[in-house]
Structures are given as structure tokens and as C-alpha cells.
Amino acid sequence: MASNVANADGTLDEVAALLDHARLSSAEPYLHPDSDRLRVAVDRVPSPRELAGGPR
């Protein structure tokens, strides 16, 4: 359930609350991000060439 909430853009504090965890770090072991979400996260990071003003 925690992974499903995270994959639906739920935040760590929301996941912790739903699992009734007092500390956010207690919810982390239950989070398993979807591979598509990981790809999107990587794609959001600009390449060094983009940062230098060159072509992608």
C-alpha cells in the first residue's frame, strides 16, 4: 500500500501517517518506487551539456 501511495505522488509524510508511523524514517523500508517514476526522476535532471548551454 505504501508503494502505491508513493507511486500516486503521495509524500513520505502521507505514507507514514497512513501506516501510523510516528517517524518518517519508519515508512521508508516500505517504499519501492515504480521504475517509470525513477526514469522520470532521472530525466528531470539536466545533463552537464544542458547546464553548459550546449545541445542535449
Side-chain angles (χ1 to χ4, degrees):
M1 187 275 288
S3 293
N4 291 338
V5 171
N7 286 335
D9 293 327
T11 61
L12 183 56
D13 62 324
E14 293 168 334
V15 172
L18 289 169
L19 295 176
D20 198 29
H21 289 190
R23 290 183 286 170
L24 295 180
S25 60
S26 298
E28 289 176 353
Y30 300 100
L31 301 179
H32 306 283
D34 179 71
S35 60
D36 291 337
R37 283 185 63 227
L38 292 175
R39 172 51 39 202
V40 169
V42 169
D43 288 343
R44 283 194 306 256
V45 177
S47 74
R49 288 184 182 151
E50 287 178 304
L51 293 173
R56 243 182 152 177

